[in-house]
Amino acid sequence: MPRSSRGDRPQTGPSSPAALEAAERNPFTPGFGLVPRVLALQGTPVEDFAAALAGRRGAGERSVLIAGARGVGKTVLLGQLREVAARAGWRTLVLHTSSASMVEELRGGAVDLLREVDPEAEQMRATSAEGGAFGVRAGADVEFVDRYAGEKVPLGRLLERLAALLTRDGGGLLVSVDEVQSADHAQLREVTQHLQDLIGAGHGAGFLAAGIRTGVDELLAHPGTTFLRRAHRIDISSVDVGTAAEVIRQTVADTSRSITPEAAVRAGEISHGYPYLIQVIGAEAWARAGDASTIEIEDVDAARAATIDAMVVNVHGPALRDVTGRRMDYLQAMLEDEGPSAVGDVAARLGLDTRAAGVHRARLIGEELLQASGHGRVALALPYLREALERVRETGSTRRAAAPAQVTRPVRRNG
Ligand SMILES: Nc1ncnc2c1ncn2[C@@H]1O[C@H](COP(=O)(O)OP(=O)(O)OP(=O)(O)O)[C@@H](O)[C@H]1O
Ligand SMILES: [Mg+2]
């Protein structure tokens, strides 16, 4: 329903409070890695981690492996853990799987941090001819040199000193890696080996990692990942729809606007409790409310199509790009059913025997595009995958359809 249909709204002038409110920033965060104003979390992972850092839980819980589907909030949770660690006086070195070498990145970060926290980072050195490296004689010319400038110290020793200093001050050292499923195995192994050494030596140390569940499981199947296998694992998934509605309601309640209970519930339903969608539907409904002080159910309904589009383009698009041949046929064959499909039916539609079809099905489950749904049944995983597949069927890709042309009457002077 267009906004103009709300005849009961008073018209406001440009300097009215309502017009000023209209300029208020959209409080939702429909992007990746953006910390939302209100978090929906299962359990208390942040508090548990804080307790582990403080020694109130096993030190083993200071190493955390977050796993989950795309857009479910892994990066945000990783950031929350770093945040709570910083507040507890812990320092974190953030490594990137895209860097040329995570090990070198670790060294660089450790050196930078040592320069900051090591009171002996600068050493005096006599510059006169007889002045050896150490022992400064009175009267000799003296200069300060950076103890860590040469980078000749083995990484293990650097980390050992850093962790010792941080632990002495009541904190410790964390190393954090996002998108861990893409990490170079040898590099990751070296990094985690160092952490294991620090922990073994009794220092405050831990490792934080996050990644796509399937990629993480594949990673853990490799030898040399024992450390990660023992990390405290947090599997994140969608929240229930009621919680999603509450997140949306609270996010709006923190602003000068409000949202009706029905609108919040409808938005929660559209989100299916999937964190990225919570933010998208919230943002889109907020935008559609224009300068109204209350977001109503028609704003939410009007935002539905754009929300699905965002999901199709930003989440399913990248995932489906790698799905070709028989696997795409499998997914397409499921569109005939309104709900979950019987695996036998899908195999028949594809003209495959159940075993051959099972191979494709297993891979699709591994890719988190399908999920088993009761005996002999399989369902599309993640909200709006059906819509994404329909778009592939109709247009050959998940790209956004061109906006439909608008038909309007020309402006005329009289009527
Ligand atoms: N706990 C949460 N409650 C509500 N919204 C959240 C929560 N966590 C993340 N979001 C929102 O969900 C979206 C995705 O978050 P994030 O980037 O952390 O996901 P991700 O799992 O790291 O995704 P990817 O697999 O693409 O890296 C963002 O819009 C973010 O604001
Ligand atoms: Mg992420």
Side-chain angles (χ1 to χ4, degrees):
M1 220 183 285
R3 294 251 15 131
S4 54
S5 67
R6 295 162 151 201
D8 56 336
R9 281 182 197 286
Q11 292 297 307
T12 53
S15 58
S16 69
L20 290 176
E21 275 166 26
E24 187 171 359
R25 274 183 67 154
N26 194 319
F28 291 94
T29 52
F32 293 89
L34 300 178
V35 181
R37 286 208 195 173
V38 179
L39 283 171
L41 286 175
Q42 265 149 359
T44 51
V46 181
E47 291 81 353
D48 294 351
F49 182 61
L53 293 184
R56 294 193 304 274
R57 288 174 86 99
E61 290 192 35
R62 290 173 173 176
S63 290
V64 175
L65 175 58
I66 301 166
R70 298 171 296 274
V72 89
K74 300 178 297 297
T75 299
V76 165
L77 180 57
L78 194 63
Q80 293 292 297
L81 299 186
R82 290 203 298 260
E83 196 65 46
V84 85
R87 256 183 266 145
W90 284 59
R91 303 296 297 262
T92 305
L93 296 176
V94 177
L95 308 184
H96 302 89
T97 55
S98 56
S99 70
S101 160
M102 284 204 302
V103 175
E104 283 314 305
E105 200 178 16
L106 178 61
R107 171 187 288 278
V111 166
D112 286 349
L113 207 45
L114 273 166
R115 288 192 177 122
E116 188 189 320
V117 301
D118 186 352
E120 292 161 31
E122 285 187 330
Q123 283 182 333
M124 283 185 292
R125 184 174 70 181
T127 53
S128 64
E130 321 91 277
F134 297 99
V136 180
R137 289 172 301 106
D141 291 327
V142 167
E143 68 174 7
F144 289 95
V145 296
D146 184 339
R147 179 176 177 170
Y148 299 111
E151 291 197 4
K152 286 178 208 95
V153 192
L155 178 54
R157 285 219 353 245
L158 284 179
L159 292 170
E160 172 82 32
R161 174 149 182 88
L162 178 56
L165 287 166
L166 294 173
T167 309
R168 189 196 62 191
D169 295 342
L173 176 68
L174 295 175
V175 172
S176 157
V177 179
D178 198 359
E179 307 281 354
V180 70
Q181 77 279 352
S182 320
D184 177 88
H185 292 176
Q187 301 257 324
L188 185 65
R189 186 176 184 164
E190 197 171 334
V191 169
T192 53
Q193 182 62 55
H194 282 302
L195 283 160
Q196 191 156 7
D197 292 346
L198 296 178
I199 295 165
H203 300 304
F207 186 63
L208 300 178
I212 300 280
R213 183 177 297 122
T214 49
V216 164
D217 288 340
E218 258 168 52
L219 179 69
L220 296 185
H222 280 84
T225 55
T226 321
F227 179 85
L228 269 185
R229 270 180 240 154
R230 291 195 187 127
H232 176 63
R233 177 155 168 163
I234 302 176
D235 277 284
I236 37 179
S237 51
S238 296
V239 296
D240 60 275
V241 164
T243 305
E246 182 55 20
V247 167
I248 291 164
R249 195 196 62 72
Q250 274 190 36
T251 305
V252 179
D254 284 350
T255 71
S256 63
R257 295 192 192 179
S258 60
I259 182 166
T260 65
E262 306 76 49
V265 167
R266 179 69 57 85
E269 285 163 3
I270 292 173
S271 79
H272 289 264
Y274 181 77
Y276 172 65
L277 283 172
I278 294 175
Q279 302 303 324
V280 179
I281 186 66
E284 294 285 342
W286 172 284
R288 275 165 184 72
D291 58 5
S293 61
T294 306
I295 298 172
E296 296 191 8
I297 203 158
E298 58 261 38
D299 300 316
V300 174
D301 284 338
R304 187 171 185 275
T307 301
I308 295 174
D309 195 62
M311 182 76 178
V312 168
V313 172
N314 298 323
V315 175
H316 296 313
L320 288 177
R321 219 168 286 149
D322 302 329
V323 179
T324 50
R326 279 313 218 177
R327 270 151 54 245
M328 179 53 86
D329 295 343
Y330 197 103
L331 294 174
Q332 291 292 337
M334 287 177 65
L335 292 180
E336 277 186 37
D337 304 305
E338 262 172 28
S341 304
V343 298
D345 290 352
V346 182
R349 285 172 206 158
L350 293 172
L352 293 172
D353 65 59
T354 342
R355 255 198 44 198
V359 173
H360 302 301
R361 187 176 69 246
R363 265 193 75 187
L364 289 164
I365 290 175
E367 289 164 325
E368 290 189 86
L369 292 164
L370 290 187
Q371 58 193 30
S373 168
H375 191 67
R377 290 185 168 269
V378 71
L380 298 173
L382 296 189
Y384 307 119
L385 179 54
R386 174 174 296 274
E387 283 77 358
L389 290 167
E390 281 166 358
R391 194 175 297 181
V392 170
R393 185 179 62 195
E394 281 146 31
T395 70
S397 89
T398 53
R399 270 195 297 277
R400 186 170 281 126
Q406 301 287 323
V407 180
T408 54
R409 292 180 193 284
V411 181
R412 291 215 178 85
R413 212 166 270 201
N414 306 313

